[in-house]
């Protein structure tokens, strides 16, 4: 995607072979890039959420494996590096998927061949993610176009609600939930996005809004509790969200609060779509109940990060406490939306029902023998 006319991805290798990322903890106020030099840098970038979003975590972990075996490609080192990366965050399955894919390619090779093969495999993982997201964007475009045509009000935009950030910043490029929106905008379909701010970390306010400003797409930021009301008022035509892990039965685990939006959507007969690349499906889990839910630190709830409203061009960034000092907080970072609340899954291979049968119709190679 373009930033001020310059094409960027959320992670990339420079001409000198260095791995660079955008520090997402500083957006939207500062655009800063960071170089990952070691596997520890990659692990910290994932756990401290300089990079976040399921596909991007996987892509970062793939490069993390490369960085981790520079100078020592032994079996022991490979094992240690892969264990460390896998433990960086628990919920998004792409992390485990990418690390296991790297391990499966590298472990059978003689150590001397591993580093070169690792860079190639990591590049493949990154490129595949870009292609998958662009492709699911095309499939999602079809759904948005249909709704636009059914509305039969050419001047009225299609109103789309999204939660958290499942845009290009959450992937290597394009995004998942936002990819169909980018495609619709490019196709000349008027779209307007309701952006949930997404407490506690405000990925909607910080990242999704920033992406949409950059793309010139009409949007409003809303507090997380607004969605149900807007749906009752007929101001939401469809919801599209991402997922950090999709169980084999079509249950989806996404940013905390997604479940409540799906409930409100069902009650108001608003289509609720979930967009994902195949790397986000966990075929080992029969149900979303089994997905580990990350519990993050209390400070994310007790404080908010931002820029002082009156700081002018000085950009004074910082944390502000919003609760009594004695108050404790709980911070489950994800919830599970049961498949019955999901209208359909949008994948790089097409649109399917949120069910085992639906997923297997697109990914038949994942059927158990
Ligand atoms: O905690 P995060 O920011 O890594 O969580 C990311 C999400 O939950 C996003 O909504 C996204 O849908 C999944 S990745 C495209």
């Amino acid at each position: 995607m373009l930033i001020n006319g310059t094409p960027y991805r959320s992670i990339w290798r420079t001409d000198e072979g260095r791995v660079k990322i955008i520090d997402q903890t500083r957006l939207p106020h500062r655009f800063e890039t960071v170089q990952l030099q070691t596997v520890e840098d990659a692990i910290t970038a994932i756990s401290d959420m300089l990079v976040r979003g399921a596909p991007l975590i996987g892509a970062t972990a793939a490069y993390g494996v490369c960085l981790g075996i520079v100078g020592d490609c032994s079996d022991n080192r490979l094992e240690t590096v892969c264990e460390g990366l896998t433990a960086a965050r628990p919920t998004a399955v792409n992390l485990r998927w990418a690390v296991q894919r790297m391990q499966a390619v590298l472990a059978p090779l003689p150590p001397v061949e591993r580093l070169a093969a690792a860079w190639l495999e990591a590049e493949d993982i990154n490129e595949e993610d870009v292609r998958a997201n662009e492709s699911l964007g095309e499939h999602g475009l079809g759904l948005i176009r249909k709704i636009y045509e059914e509305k039969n009000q050419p001047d009225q935009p299609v109103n789309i609600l999204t939660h958290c950030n499942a845009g290009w910043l959450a992937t290597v490029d394009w995004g998942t939930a936002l990819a169909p929106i980018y495609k619709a905008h490019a196709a000349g379909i008027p779209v307007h996005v309701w952006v949930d701010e997404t407490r506690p970390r405000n990925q909607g306010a910080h990242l999704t809004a920033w992406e949409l400003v950059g793309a010139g797409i009409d949007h409003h930021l809303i507090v997380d509790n607004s969605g149900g009301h807007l749906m009752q008022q007929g101001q939401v035509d469809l919801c599209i969200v991402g997922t950090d892990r999709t169980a084999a039965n079509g249950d989806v685990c996404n940013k905390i609060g997604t479940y409540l939006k799906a409930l409100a959507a069902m009650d108001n007969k608003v289509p609720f779509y979930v967009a994902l690349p195949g790397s986000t499906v966990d075929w080992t889990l029969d149900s979303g109940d089994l997905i580990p839910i990350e519990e993050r630190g209390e400070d994310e709830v007790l404080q908010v990060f931002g820029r002082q409203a009156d700081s002018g061009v000085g950009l004074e960034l910082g944390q502000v406490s919003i609760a009594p000092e004695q108050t404790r907080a709980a911070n489950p970072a994800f919830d599970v939306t049961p498949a019955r609340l999901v209208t359909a899954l949008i994948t790089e291979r097409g649109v399917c029902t949120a069910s085992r049968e639906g997923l297997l119709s697109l990914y038949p190679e994942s059927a158990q023998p």
Side-chain angles (χ1 to χ4, degrees), residues 49 52-55 89 164-166 176 203 242-244 254-255 334:
M49 295 178 66
R52 25 69 51 205
R89 285 190 79 188
C164 193
N165 171 262
T176 57
Q203 287 96 326
T243 166
D244 291 79
N254 192 49
K255 183 54 55 190
F334 299 93

Side-chain angles (χ1 to χ4, degrees), residues 29-250:
H29 307 295
R30 291 207 181 126
F31 179 79
E32 291 174 6
T33 62
V34 172
Q35 187 181 324
L36 304 180
Q37 289 178 298
T38 63
V39 63
E40 288 76 21
D41 289 348
I43 292 170
T44 304
I46 294 169
S47 57
D48 290 356
M49 295 178 66
L50 279 72
V51 290
R52 25 69 51 205
L56 178 55
I57 293 174
T60 307
Y63 279 134
V65 173
C66 306
L67 297 169
I69 61 172
V70 171
D72 181 359
C73 292
S74 64
D75 288 354
N76 272 351
R77 178 64 184 166
L78 181 61
E79 186 84 8
T80 307
V81 160
C82 290
E83 273 174 20
L85 285 161
T86 306
R89 285 190 79 188
T91 300
V93 78
N94 303 58
L95 178 57
R96 187 188 77 196
W97 169 85
V99 170
Q100 286 182 348
R101 178 165 153 175
M102 295 293 287
Q103 236 171 341
V105 168
L106 302 182
L109 297 177
V112 68
E113 292 176 17
R114 284 179 181 163
L115 186 56
W119 286 115
L120 287 177
E121 192 64 18
E123 289 297 327
D124 280 355
I125 286 174
N126 276 257
E127 293 304 322
E128 280 174 30
D129 185 62
V130 177
R131 284 198 299 275
N133 298 324
E134 177 163 19
S135 173
L136 73 83
E138 291 288 345
H139 293 296
L141 164 62
L143 298 171
I144 295 175
R145 192 192 300 281
K146 190 161 176 282
I147 289 172
Y148 178 60
E149 287 169 358
E150 282 169 2
K151 274 179 81 154
N152 200 19
Q153 294 169 299
D155 297 339
Q156 293 301 309
V158 179
N159 292 296
I160 305 169
L161 184 142
T162 193
H163 191 68
C164 193
N165 171 262
W168 68 268
L169 288 168
T171 64
V172 181
D173 208 349
W174 283 101
T176 57
L178 293 196
I181 296 172
Y182 288 132
K183 289 283 181 185
H185 180 66
I189 298 171
V191 284
H192 165 261
V193 185
W194 297 112
V195 180
D196 282 353
E197 61 181 342
T198 319
R199 277 282 285 149
R201 289 185 68 98
N202 287 320
Q203 287 96 326
H206 293 169
L207 306 176
T208 301
W210 183 79
E211 283 193 30
L212 294 174
V213 167
I217 295 178
D218 189 21
H219 63 283
H220 281 86
L221 182 65
I222 53 175
V223 298
D224 291 325
N225 294 328
S226 296
H229 167 74
L230 292 170
M231 290 184 214
Q232 285 176 325
Q233 299 291 311
Q235 295 191 62
V236 181
D237 294 308
L238 73 158
C239 304
I240 314 181
V241 300
T243 166
D244 291 79
R245 193 186 297 219
T246 306
N249 70 345

Side-chain angles (χ1 to χ4, degrees), residues 1-13 22 31 33 168 172-173 210:
M1 289 286 155
L2 298 176
I3 301 177
N4 296 329
T6 305
Y8 271 92
R9 286 183 173 179
S10 60
I11 189 165
W12 67 96
R13 264 189 103 194
I22 298 168
F31 179 79
T33 62
W168 68 268
V172 181
D173 208 349
W210 183 79

Side-chain angles (χ1 to χ4, degrees), residues 246-251 282 284-291 336 356:
T246 306
N249 70 345
D251 290 350
D282 185 347
T284 70
L285 295 187
D286 288 334
S287 149
D289 303 346
L290 303 166
I291 296 173
V336 174
R356 178 176 285 278

